[in-house]
Amino acid sequence: MRYGMVIDQGRCVGCDACSIACKQANATGPGVMWSRVLKEEVGKYPAAKQRFTPVLCNQCENPACVNVCPVGATYKREDGIVAVDSERCIGCRYCVAACPYQVRSVMLDNTVGYYGEHGLAPNEAIGYAKHVPGTVEKCTFCHERVDAGKDPACVQACPARARIFGDLDDPKSTVAKLLAQRAASVLKPELGTDPQVYYLG
């Protein structure tokens, strides 16, 4: 078993539903985005158009973050998901510096919410409690949901069905079939991290 994601950029409309679903599911604080959509204008008028590139942790086959963690807090699960043990993390940020995709965040304060001096909203108080200040966090393909047999929140929320999640080792899975049928690319392939997030142009 090796989990991965295929993102069809031809279907992505740049609505940011994935980013909002991620924040809601993982209770990330202000300024923290484990999933975001890069937007750029390509071409020239009158044929100019926008291109959307959703980015998240690439769950690399050869993760640089795992290799540099001095305490083993960042580790790779048997299903390929790269996770962080917040109880072991010492906040050294070596993994942040090593990640070539800039998708890791440092939880600085879990008492600051979106409403400033008004304090945390009830849902923030509940969600933020699971974050440990001073530790590093990132997308984990919503492994709690995956372990329960569900898709990651970003996949479920995508109205255009541009994100497809599944077992890359299962030739019958949708992700494996898409990669067998269509040309796909990964971000920064020259680095040798072997990302498990693939993009269909």
Side-chain angles (χ1 to χ4, degrees), residues 109-191:
D109 189 347
N110 63 358
T111 64
V112 178
Y114 283 89
Y115 303 100
E117 61 186 24
H118 300 290
L120 298 179
N123 63 312
E124 289 178 321
I126 294 171
Y128 290 5
K130 67 180 181 179
H131 299 288
V132 180
T135 62
V136 176
E137 302 179 324
K138 66 171 199 68
C139 158
T140 60
F141 275 165
C142 290
H143 64 75
E144 299 94 345
R145 292 175 56 89
V146 172
D147 291 344
K150 301 177 182 179
D151 279 335
C154 60
V155 173
Q156 183 181 32
C158 181
R161 297 188 179 180
R163 291 180 179 231
I164 305 94
F165 176 79
D167 182 2
L168 295 168
D169 286 339
D170 179 3
K172 295 181 181 179
S173 70
T174 303
V175 287
K177 288 179 180 178
L178 281 170
L179 293 176
Q181 296 167 359
R182 298 176 59 182
S185 62
V186 296
L187 299 178
K188 302 183 179 181
E190 70 279 3
L191 299 179

Side-chain angles (χ1 to χ4, degrees), residues 63-93:
C65 55
V66 171
N67 297 333
V68 301
C69 182
V71 294
T74 293
Y75 65 98
K76 189 172 167 185
R77 298 183 358 156
E78 290 185 5
D79 56 15
I81 294 176
V82 178
V84 181
D85 184 344
S86 59
E87 294 184 2
R88 298 188 70 171
C89 179
I90 58 175
C92 68
R93 308 186 191 185

